[in-house]
Amino acid sequence: MINEDFKKVYWVFNRLDFKVIPSYYVGGVLPSNFLNSPKLVFLEEHDPEATLNQTNPKVLILFKAFDNGILNLAKSAKKRGIKIISVFDDWYLQNVERTQFNLPLSKISDLVVVKTNAAANEIKNHFNINSVVIADPVRFESKNIFNKKDNLIKLCWYGILDNHDTILNEIKNLDKLNFPFNLTIITNFVENLKQQIDNLKIQKQNIIFKNWHERSDSEILNTDAVLLPYPKDKKRLVKSSNRIIDSLNLGRFTIMSPVPQFEEFKNFVYYGDIIDGIEWFHANSNLALEKTVKGQKYVNNNYSIRAISNKWRNLIIKLV
């Protein structure tokens, strides 16, 4: 398959604002840009036959469905012999909405792609669906490793609304810290989260709120360490590793819960209780720096846009 053929590989999104949806942007927009492949927005009210006539694709890569439009397009494409790759995010047995959209799609797809081994095991064990694992790539350029200059620990948590519960579960524990710190929270729906945190009535209100935007890496860089609390639930079991790899790629020390689906990163982060991790970082900043240097190198070798896009390239070439 020559490069020109990738012009007939369409990456299909089910939202007009697809570039602001993290799973769409890192999982689809970035690799499609690297491979110079076209993107397509397809919604339920769109005509699948007219769309296929206009685009004449060889391959459709279908991202997370929010309505039946994606399934309608896939059915029409299947009849024409067009290859179909479905990318499934956030699918676990109890997620009825995902099952409603994904199960019929899986039956007519030539390949199913998921982001992690844990997600692959989940759909194999519960739905007997085989899949290929292609992780999300890093979304930002690599930056210099953190440079902690004083006793103040500058912490950061970032994530979208869907992950607000993870920081809410942890934030009250910050009162246990007996050294100066601040916490920058970067998210969407800031006022909603701020009100929920105010309701907790924590003693140390040294929290800075920032709205998430496409250049939020600049605000993450103003901190020393990123907090990534992960509950041991099914919802988080099938999540992408994108916040872990982004944090390491940006050179921030990363403190994360010891969840088995992300054990591959345990040598490059503090892999344990979040508050214990902050205290360890306060006492061992030089060791934290060493971990982060190794982690950034690991991420650059395995999760760069080039590395992930080449996995997509090889998968598509093998399929067609």
mmCIF file with all atom_site columns, all heavy atoms in Angstrom, residues 293-310:
data_model
loop_
_atom_site.group_PDB
_atom_site.id
_atom_site.type_symbol
_atom_site.label_atom_id
_atom_site.label_alt_id
_atom_site.label_comp_id
_atom_site.label_asym_id
_atom_site.label_entity_id
_atom_site.label_seq_id
_atom_site.pdbx_PDB_ins_code
_atom_site.Cartn_x
_atom_site.Cartn_y
_atom_site.Cartn_z
_atom_site.occupancy
_atom_site.B_iso_or_equiv
_atom_site.pdbx_formal_charge
_atom_site.auth_seq_id
_atom_site.auth_comp_id
_atom_site.auth_asym_id
_atom_site.auth_atom_id
_atom_site.pdbx_PDB_model_num
ATOM 1   N N   . VAL A 1 293 ? 13.171 10.901 34.183 1.00 0.00 ? 293 VAL A N   1
ATOM 2   C CA  . VAL A 1 293 ? 14.049 10.850 33.008 1.00 0.00 ? 293 VAL A CA  1
ATOM 3   C C   . VAL A 1 293 ? 13.869 9.515  32.285 1.00 0.00 ? 293 VAL A C   1
ATOM 4   O O   . VAL A 1 293 ? 13.723 9.464  31.045 1.00 0.00 ? 293 VAL A O   1
ATOM 5   C CB  . VAL A 1 293 ? 15.520 11.057 33.415 1.00 0.00 ? 293 VAL A CB  1
ATOM 6   C CG1 . VAL A 1 293 ? 16.453 10.720 32.258 1.00 0.00 ? 293 VAL A CG1 1
ATOM 7   C CG2 . VAL A 1 293 ? 15.747 12.492 33.878 1.00 0.00 ? 293 VAL A CG2 1
ATOM 8   N N   . LYS A 1 294 ? 13.885 8.425  33.031 1.00 0.00 ? 294 LYS A N   1
ATOM 9   C CA  . LYS A 1 294 ? 13.713 7.099  32.433 1.00 0.00 ? 294 LYS A CA  1
ATOM 10  C C   . LYS A 1 294 ? 12.308 6.943  31.843 1.00 0.00 ? 294 LYS A C   1
ATOM 11  O O   . LYS A 1 294 ? 12.137 6.342  30.775 1.00 0.00 ? 294 LYS A O   1
ATOM 12  C CB  . LYS A 1 294 ? 13.967 6.021  33.484 1.00 0.00 ? 294 LYS A CB  1
ATOM 13  C CG  . LYS A 1 294 ? 15.416 5.954  33.956 1.00 0.00 ? 294 LYS A CG  1
ATOM 14  C CD  . LYS A 1 294 ? 15.574 4.943  35.084 1.00 0.00 ? 294 LYS A CD  1
ATOM 15  C CE  . LYS A 1 294 ? 17.008 4.907  35.600 1.00 0.00 ? 294 LYS A CE  1
ATOM 16  N NZ  . LYS A 1 294 ? 17.163 3.990  36.766 1.00 0.00 ? 294 LYS A NZ  1
ATOM 17  N N   . GLY A 1 295 ? 11.324 7.485  32.550 1.00 0.00 ? 295 GLY A N   1
ATOM 18  C CA  . GLY A 1 295 ? 9.951  7.386  32.067 1.00 0.00 ? 295 GLY A CA  1
ATOM 19  C C   . GLY A 1 295 ? 9.723  8.145  30.787 1.00 0.00 ? 295 GLY A C   1
ATOM 20  O O   . GLY A 1 295 ? 9.035  7.665  29.869 1.00 0.00 ? 295 GLY A O   1
ATOM 21  N N   . GLN A 1 296 ? 10.294 9.336  30.693 1.00 0.00 ? 296 GLN A N   1
ATOM 22  C CA  . GLN A 1 296 ? 10.150 10.118 29.475 1.00 0.00 ? 296 GLN A CA  1
ATOM 23  C C   . GLN A 1 296 ? 10.784 9.388  28.285 1.00 0.00 ? 296 GLN A C   1
ATOM 24  O O   . GLN A 1 296 ? 10.218 9.357  27.184 1.00 0.00 ? 296 GLN A O   1
ATOM 25  C CB  . GLN A 1 296 ? 10.779 11.494 29.650 1.00 0.00 ? 296 GLN A CB  1
ATOM 26  C CG  . GLN A 1 296 ? 10.502 12.446 28.493 1.00 0.00 ? 296 GLN A CG  1
ATOM 27  C CD  . GLN A 1 296 ? 11.157 13.797 28.701 1.00 0.00 ? 296 GLN A CD  1
ATOM 28  O OE1 . GLN A 1 296 ? 12.382 13.910 28.672 1.00 0.00 ? 296 GLN A OE1 1
ATOM 29  N NE2 . GLN A 1 296 ? 10.335 14.829 28.906 1.00 0.00 ? 296 GLN A NE2 1
ATOM 30  N N   . LYS A 1 297 ? 11.936 8.789  28.496 1.00 0.00 ? 297 LYS A N   1
ATOM 31  C CA  . LYS A 1 297 ? 12.597 8.039  27.428 1.00 0.00 ? 297 LYS A CA  1
ATOM 32  C C   . LYS A 1 297 ? 11.740 6.845  27.003 1.00 0.00 ? 297 LYS A C   1
ATOM 33  O O   . LYS A 1 297 ? 11.593 6.568  25.801 1.00 0.00 ? 297 LYS A O   1
ATOM 34  C CB  . LYS A 1 297 ? 13.972 7.553  27.901 1.00 0.00 ? 297 LYS A CB  1
ATOM 35  C CG  . LYS A 1 297 ? 14.755 6.814  26.839 1.00 0.00 ? 297 LYS A CG  1
ATOM 36  C CD  . LYS A 1 297 ? 16.140 6.409  27.345 1.00 0.00 ? 297 LYS A CD  1
ATOM 37  C CE  . LYS A 1 297 ? 16.916 5.660  26.264 1.00 0.00 ? 297 LYS A CE  1
ATOM 38  N NZ  . LYS A 1 297 ? 18.264 5.255  26.751 1.00 0.00 ? 297 LYS A NZ  1
ATOM 39  N N   . TYR A 1 298 ? 11.167 6.144  27.973 1.00 0.00 ? 298 TYR A N   1
ATOM 40  C CA  . TYR A 1 298 ? 10.309 4.988  27.682 1.00 0.00 ? 298 TYR A CA  1
ATOM 41  C C   . TYR A 1 298 ? 9.091  5.417  26.850 1.00 0.00 ? 298 TYR A C   1
ATOM 42  O O   . TYR A 1 298 ? 8.732  4.774  25.859 1.00 0.00 ? 298 TYR A O   1
ATOM 43  C CB  . TYR A 1 298 ? 9.856  4.339  28.984 1.00 0.00 ? 298 TYR A CB  1
ATOM 44  C CG  . TYR A 1 298 ? 8.930  3.158  28.799 1.00 0.00 ? 298 TYR A CG  1
ATOM 45  C CD1 . TYR A 1 298 ? 9.444  1.899  28.489 1.00 0.00 ? 298 TYR A CD1 1
ATOM 46  C CD2 . TYR A 1 298 ? 7.555  3.302  28.933 1.00 0.00 ? 298 TYR A CD2 1
ATOM 47  C CE1 . TYR A 1 298 ? 8.589  0.812  28.311 1.00 0.00 ? 298 TYR A CE1 1
ATOM 48  C CE2 . TYR A 1 298 ? 6.701  2.227  28.758 1.00 0.00 ? 298 TYR A CE2 1
ATOM 49  C CZ  . TYR A 1 298 ? 7.221  0.980  28.445 1.00 0.00 ? 298 TYR A CZ  1
ATOM 50  O OH  . TYR A 1 298 ? 6.376  -0.092 28.260 1.00 0.00 ? 298 TYR A OH  1
ATOM 51  N N   . VAL A 1 299 ? 8.478  6.509  27.252 1.00 0.00 ? 299 VAL A N   1
ATOM 52  C CA  . VAL A 1 299 ? 7.306  7.013  26.539 1.00 0.00 ? 299 VAL A CA  1
ATOM 53  C C   . VAL A 1 299 ? 7.680  7.436  25.123 1.00 0.00 ? 299 VAL A C   1
ATOM 54  O O   . VAL A 1 299 ? 6.973  7.122  24.155 1.00 0.00 ? 299 VAL A O   1
ATOM 55  C CB  . VAL A 1 299 ? 6.667  8.178  27.321 1.00 0.00 ? 299 VAL A CB  1
ATOM 56  C CG1 . VAL A 1 299 ? 5.679  8.950  26.454 1.00 0.00 ? 299 VAL A CG1 1
ATOM 57  C CG2 . VAL A 1 299 ? 5.966  7.649  28.567 1.00 0.00 ? 299 VAL A CG2 1
ATOM 58  N N   . ASN A 1 300 ? 8.787  8.138  24.974 1.00 0.00 ? 300 ASN A N   1
ATOM 59  C CA  . ASN A 1 300 ? 9.206  8.584  23.645 1.00 0.00 ? 300 ASN A CA  1
ATOM 60  C C   . ASN A 1 300 ? 9.496  7.407  22.714 1.00 0.00 ? 300 ASN A C   1
ATOM 61  O O   . ASN A 1 300 ? 9.260  7.482  21.504 1.00 0.00 ? 300 ASN A O   1
ATOM 62  C CB  . ASN A 1 300 ? 10.428 9.491  23.743 1.00 0.00 ? 300 ASN A CB  1
ATOM 63  C CG  . ASN A 1 300 ? 10.097 10.853 24.306 1.00 0.00 ? 300 ASN A CG  1
ATOM 64  O OD1 . ASN A 1 300 ? 8.954  11.295 24.246 1.00 0.00 ? 300 ASN A OD1 1
ATOM 65  N ND2 . ASN A 1 300 ? 11.079 11.531 24.864 1.00 0.00 ? 300 ASN A ND2 1
ATOM 66  N N   . ASN A 1 301 ? 10.010 6.324  23.269 1.00 0.00 ? 301 ASN A N   1
ATOM 67  C CA  . ASN A 1 301 ? 10.323 5.144  22.460 1.00 0.00 ? 301 ASN A CA  1
ATOM 68  C C   . ASN A 1 301 ? 9.080  4.370  22.063 1.00 0.00 ? 301 ASN A C   1
ATOM 69  O O   . ASN A 1 301 ? 9.044  3.736  20.994 1.00 0.00 ? 301 ASN A O   1
ATOM 70  C CB  . ASN A 1 301 ? 11.271 4.215  23.214 1.00 0.00 ? 301 ASN A CB  1
ATOM 71  C CG  . ASN A 1 301 ? 12.686 4.753  23.282 1.00 0.00 ? 301 ASN A CG  1
ATOM 72  O OD1 . ASN A 1 301 ? 13.072 5.604  22.488 1.00 0.00 ? 301 ASN A OD1 1
ATOM 73  N ND2 . ASN A 1 301 ? 13.462 4.269  24.232 1.00 0.00 ? 301 ASN A ND2 1
ATOM 74  N N   . ASN A 1 302 ? 8.061  4.402  22.911 1.00 0.00 ? 302 ASN A N   1
ATOM 75  C CA  . ASN A 1 302 ? 6.915  3.510  22.721 1.00 0.00 ? 302 ASN A CA  1
ATOM 76  C C   . ASN A 1 302 ? 5.594  4.201  22.399 1.00 0.00 ? 302 ASN A C   1
ATOM 77  O O   . ASN A 1 302 ? 4.689  3.555  21.856 1.00 0.00 ? 302 ASN A O   1
ATOM 78  C CB  . ASN A 1 302 ? 6.721  2.648  23.975 1.00 0.00 ? 302 ASN A CB  1
ATOM 79  C CG  . ASN A 1 302 ? 7.869  1.693  24.215 1.00 0.00 ? 302 ASN A CG  1
ATOM 80  O OD1 . ASN A 1 302 ? 7.947  0.644  23.586 1.00 0.00 ? 302 ASN A OD1 1
ATOM 81  N ND2 . ASN A 1 302 ? 8.775  2.065  25.108 1.00 0.00 ? 302 ASN A ND2 1
ATOM 82  N N   . TYR A 1 303 ? 5.476  5.468  22.723 1.00 0.00 ? 303 TYR A N   1
ATOM 83  C CA  . TYR A 1 303 ? 4.186  6.150  22.580 1.00 0.00 ? 303 TYR A CA  1
ATOM 84  C C   . TYR A 1 303 ? 4.272  7.449  21.774 1.00 0.00 ? 303 TYR A C   1
ATOM 85  O O   . TYR A 1 303 ? 3.335  8.247  21.821 1.00 0.00 ? 303 TYR A O   1
ATOM 86  C CB  . TYR A 1 303 ? 3.598  6.445  23.966 1.00 0.00 ? 303 TYR A CB  1
ATOM 87  C CG  . TYR A 1 303 ? 3.184  5.204  24.715 1.00 0.00 ? 303 TYR A CG  1
ATOM 88  C CD1 . TYR A 1 303 ? 4.053  4.567  25.598 1.00 0.00 ? 303 TYR A CD1 1
ATOM 89  C CD2 . TYR A 1 303 ? 1.914  4.656  24.540 1.00 0.00 ? 303 TYR A CD2 1
ATOM 90  C CE1 . TYR A 1 303 ? 3.685  3.425  26.278 1.00 0.00 ? 303 TYR A CE1 1
ATOM 91  C CE2 . TYR A 1 303 ? 1.535  3.511  25.218 1.00 0.00 ? 303 TYR A CE2 1
ATOM 92  C CZ  . TYR A 1 303 ? 2.424  2.902  26.086 1.00 0.00 ? 303 TYR A CZ  1
ATOM 93  O OH  . TYR A 1 303 ? 2.039  1.763  26.752 1.00 0.00 ? 303 TYR A OH  1
ATOM 94  N N   . SER A 1 304 ? 5.335  7.673  21.064 1.00 0.00 ? 304 SER A N   1
ATOM 95  C CA  . SER A 1 304 ? 5.419  8.855  20.219 1.00 0.00 ? 304 SER A CA  1
ATOM 96  C C   . SER A 1 304 ? 4.369  8.765  19.119 1.00 0.00 ? 304 SER A C   1
ATOM 97  O O   . SER A 1 304 ? 3.860  7.676  18.790 1.00 0.00 ? 304 SER A O   1
ATOM 98  C CB  . SER A 1 304 ? 6.806  8.972  19.596 1.00 0.00 ? 304 SER A CB  1
ATOM 99  O OG  . SER A 1 304 ? 7.002  7.931  18.649 1.00 0.00 ? 304 SER A OG  1
ATOM 100 N N   . ILE A 1 305 ? 4.046  9.906  18.523 1.00 0.00 ? 305 ILE A N   1
ATOM 101 C CA  . ILE A 1 305 ? 3.084  9.906  17.417 1.00 0.00 ? 305 ILE A CA  1
ATOM 102 C C   . ILE A 1 305 ? 3.595  9.030  16.282 1.00 0.00 ? 305 ILE A C   1
ATOM 103 O O   . ILE A 1 305 ? 2.829  8.289  15.655 1.00 0.00 ? 305 ILE A O   1
ATOM 104 C CB  . ILE A 1 305 ? 2.813  11.344 16.949 1.00 0.00 ? 305 ILE A CB  1
ATOM 105 C CG1 . ILE A 1 305 ? 2.116  12.139 18.059 1.00 0.00 ? 305 ILE A CG1 1
ATOM 106 C CG2 . ILE A 1 305 ? 1.961  11.354 15.678 1.00 0.00 ? 305 ILE A CG2 1
ATOM 107 C CD1 . ILE A 1 305 ? 1.960  13.605 17.777 1.00 0.00 ? 305 ILE A CD1 1
ATOM 108 N N   . ARG A 1 306 ? 4.895  9.076  16.023 1.00 0.00 ? 306 ARG A N   1
ATOM 109 C CA  . ARG A 1 306 ? 5.470  8.242  14.965 1.00 0.00 ? 306 ARG A CA  1
ATOM 110 C C   . ARG A 1 306 ? 5.301  6.752  15.280 1.00 0.00 ? 306 ARG A C   1
ATOM 111 O O   . ARG A 1 306 ? 4.875  5.968  14.410 1.00 0.00 ? 306 ARG A O   1
ATOM 112 C CB  . ARG A 1 306 ? 6.950  8.573  14.779 1.00 0.00 ? 306 ARG A CB  1
ATOM 113 C CG  . ARG A 1 306 ? 7.656  7.725  13.717 1.00 0.00 ? 306 ARG A CG  1
ATOM 114 C CD  . ARG A 1 306 ? 9.110  8.115  13.557 1.00 0.00 ? 306 ARG A CD  1
ATOM 115 N NE  . ARG A 1 306 ? 9.223  9.471  13.046 1.00 0.00 ? 306 ARG A NE  1
ATOM 116 C CZ  . ARG A 1 306 ? 9.150  9.788  11.761 1.00 0.00 ? 306 ARG A CZ  1
ATOM 117 N NH1 . ARG A 1 306 ? 8.975  8.831  10.854 1.00 0.00 ? 306 ARG A NH1 1
ATOM 118 N NH2 . ARG A 1 306 ? 9.273  11.037 11.379 1.00 0.00 ? 306 ARG A NH2 1
ATOM 119 N N   . ALA A 1 307 ? 5.625  6.352  16.526 1.00 0.00 ? 307 ALA A N   1
ATOM 120 C CA  . ALA A 1 307 ? 5.545  4.938  16.887 1.00 0.00 ? 307 ALA A CA  1
ATOM 121 C C   . ALA A 1 307 ? 4.115  4.411  16.790 1.00 0.00 ? 307 ALA A C   1
ATOM 122 O O   . ALA A 1 307 ? 3.870  3.326  16.246 1.00 0.00 ? 307 ALA A O   1
ATOM 123 C CB  . ALA A 1 307 ? 6.094  4.733  18.304 1.00 0.00 ? 307 ALA A CB  1
ATOM 124 N N   . ILE A 1 308 ? 3.168  5.174  17.295 1.00 0.00 ? 308 ILE A N   1
ATOM 125 C CA  . ILE A 1 308 ? 1.771  4.732  17.269 1.00 0.00 ? 308 ILE A CA  1
ATOM 126 C C   . ILE A 1 308 ? 1.204  4.782  15.850 1.00 0.00 ? 308 ILE A C   1
ATOM 127 O O   . ILE A 1 308 ? 0.490  3.866  15.418 1.00 0.00 ? 308 ILE A O   1
ATOM 128 C CB  . ILE A 1 308 ? 0.929  5.593  18.233 1.00 0.00 ? 308 ILE A CB  1
ATOM 129 C CG1 . ILE A 1 308 ? 1.419  5.419  19.680 1.00 0.00 ? 308 ILE A CG1 1
ATOM 130 C CG2 . ILE A 1 308 ? -0.547 5.220  18.113 1.00 0.00 ? 308 ILE A CG2 1
ATOM 131 C CD1 . ILE A 1 308 ? 1.418  4.003  20.205 1.00 0.00 ? 308 ILE A CD1 1
ATOM 132 N N   . SER A 1 309 ? 1.536  5.820  15.105 1.00 0.00 ? 309 SER A N   1
ATOM 133 C CA  . SER A 1 309 ? 1.042  5.921  13.723 1.00 0.00 ? 309 SER A CA  1
ATOM 134 C C   . SER A 1 309 ? 1.584  4.794  12.854 1.00 0.00 ? 309 SER A C   1
ATOM 135 O O   . SER A 1 309 ? 0.881  4.292  11.959 1.00 0.00 ? 309 SER A O   1
ATOM 136 C CB  . SER A 1 309 ? 1.427  7.274  13.122 1.00 0.00 ? 309 SER A CB  1
ATOM 137 O OG  . SER A 1 309 ? 0.826  8.332  13.841 1.00 0.00 ? 309 SER A OG  1
ATOM 138 N N   . ASN A 1 310 ? 2.803  4.370  13.102 1.00 0.00 ? 310 ASN A N   1
ATOM 139 C CA  . ASN A 1 310 ? 3.357  3.248  12.349 1.00 0.00 ? 310 ASN A CA  1
ATOM 140 C C   . ASN A 1 310 ? 2.639  1.944  12.667 1.00 0.00 ? 310 ASN A C   1
ATOM 141 O O   . ASN A 1 310 ? 2.510  1.071  11.789 1.00 0.00 ? 310 ASN A O   1
ATOM 142 C CB  . ASN A 1 310 ? 4.856  3.120  12.616 1.00 0.00 ? 310 ASN A CB  1
ATOM 143 C CG  . ASN A 1 310 ? 5.667  4.149  11.849 1.00 0.00 ? 310 ASN A CG  1
ATOM 144 O OD1 . ASN A 1 310 ? 5.228  4.665  10.820 1.00 0.00 ? 310 ASN A OD1 1
ATOM 145 N ND2 . ASN A 1 310 ? 6.861  4.457  12.340 1.00 0.00 ? 310 ASN A ND2 1
#
